[in-house]
Amino acid sequence: MTDEHEPDELSDDVVHLGNFAEVAQAWPETDWYGRAMAMLHYGVFAVERFPFDETFENELAATVALARCYRQLQAAWVVTTHGFHAEARNLLRSVYESAGLARVLAKEPKLADQWLREGKWFPDVRVRQWLSDVRRDAPAEVGQYKNFYVEASAWAHPTAESCMGQISVEEDHFFLNSAITFNKQSCRETVSLISATAVFACFAFRNAVVDEQAIDPAWRRDLYDLAREMSNNPMPHLDRDWEAEQAHYDAVMANLRDRR
């Protein structure tokens, strides 16, 4: 048997979308998401053509990994607007993996070639090991990546935490609810997590390039300002002499020549 619906009755997820649209425009988290995605698109899709005889393995591998994380962020936003919050968190684990891997593949041509030719998945622990052994990140920083991955994995797998969202607790029983209901707090928390993951992807792009000074200073300044705004933290390690940075960038761009 199937539930009967009136022909013109909207599905639960569409009703959720309407409720979401009414309130989400006013959230700063929505603005953060839009700004981060605009910056990520600018960075990832700045180059669209990769000639066979001029493209290096690390260049192609890092780009497609970052492009995948961009699409996954879009998908996480879409499912969130329709009320599928646990599913959005599942996608965000893949965003983290794709973006984190991209910065490694960009720096390791042999690894990138292996990744492209063999088509094998590189587990996140291998990426974190590279951060420790090659990039020499502090153990505390690598530990933060591990903590996020563990938490994200708890939502990606059928744990009690990821599954119990289908249940509500009534006076003397659990109620298994098939309907999608709008929860403003849950929506906003998920949007905040999506926007934070999008900013992480932007930093992964920055770390994938040969040097951050190869990126337009205006892009980097916007990213650093957004990170400070979202974290409410001064982040002095992101301070730059932006006039000097712009002058250096303009001088380099003025002297670029076609590599052929």
Side-chain angles (χ1 to χ4, degrees):
M1 296 179 64
T2 59
D3 294 334
E4 293 185 1
H5 298 278
E6 295 295 329
D8 297 330
E9 183 179 355
L10 296 176
S11 62
D12 294 339
D13 65 304
V14 175
V15 173
H16 185 284
L17 175 62
N19 291 328
F20 180 91
E22 288 183 4
V23 298
Q25 293 183 14
W27 297 341
E29 294 87 350
T30 302
D31 175 65
W32 297 339
Y33 167 78
R35 288 157 62 186
M37 290 296 283
M39 285 186 281
L40 186 59
H41 186 278
Y42 173 85
V44 174
F45 297 99
V47 177
E48 297 177 334
R49 293 179 178 273
F50 296 84
F52 296 150
D53 58 347
E54 298 177 14
T55 301
F56 294 98
E57 301 91 335
N58 57 327
E59 178 185 6
L60 182 62
T63 298
V64 295
L66 285 166
R68 182 174 189 262
C69 84
Y70 178 85
R71 297 301 186 202
Q72 289 171 318
L73 283 163
Q74 288 182 309
W77 178 266
V78 170
V79 298
T80 297
T81 63
H82 284 260
F84 303 103
H85 302 159
E87 289 70 23
R89 288 173 177 262
N90 194 346
L91 285 163
L92 292 181
R93 187 186 78 150
S94 293
V95 173
Y96 163 80
E97 289 182 310
S98 297
L101 177 62
R103 64 189 173 188
V104 176
L105 297 178
K107 305 293 185 176
E108 300 288 346
K110 291 183 178 180
L111 197 63
D113 182 70
Q114 180 186 359
W115 183 79
L116 287 167
R117 294 180 184 278
E118 297 183 3
K120 291 183 179 180
W121 168 62
F122 285 1
D124 188 66
V125 65
R126 188 170 180 181
V127 174
R128 294 196 305 270
Q129 194 65 49
W130 181 87
L131 294 175
S132 298
D133 296 346
V134 179
R135 210 172 71 170
R136 302 294 183 184
D137 283 14
E141 295 179 2
V142 178
Q144 289 179 349
Y145 293 129
K146 180 180 179 180
N147 292 340
F148 178 84
Y149 183 75
V150 170
E151 181 178 347
S153 295
W155 284 93
H157 296 104
T159 61
E161 183 179 18
S162 65
C163 294
M164 287 298 286
Q166 319 301 317
I167 290 287
S168 61
V169 181
E170 306 299 333
E171 184 176 350
D172 62 351
H173 65 279
F174 297 107
F175 178 68
L176 182 60
N177 189 4
S178 64
I180 296 173
T181 56
F182 180 72
N183 184 309
K184 182 178 178 180
Q185 180 180 352
S186 179
C187 282
R188 189 165 183 175
E189 288 175 354
T190 308
V191 169
S192 178
L193 187 57
I194 295 173
S195 62
T197 310
V199 168
F200 168 77
C202 288
F203 275 99
F205 164 76
R206 183 205 67 171
N207 294 338
V209 300
V210 63
D211 187 283
E212 74 164 85
Q213 289 189 323
I215 306 173
D216 189 333
W219 186 94
R220 288 185 283 125
R221 188 171 189 174
D222 286 346
L223 175 60
Y224 300 167
D225 287 346
L226 178 57
R228 290 187 173 104
E229 183 180 336
M230 292 176 62
S231 66
N232 196 28
N233 189 311
M235 295 185 173
H237 65 286
L238 297 179
D239 290 339
R240 303 288 187 273
D241 182 341
W242 292 113
E243 289 188 7
E245 294 272 328
Q246 190 65 55
H248 173 79
Y249 180 79
D250 291 343
V252 171
M253 295 300 292
N255 286 281
L256 281 183
R257 297 292 182 269
D258 190 303
R259 60 184 172 184
R260 289 170 294 184

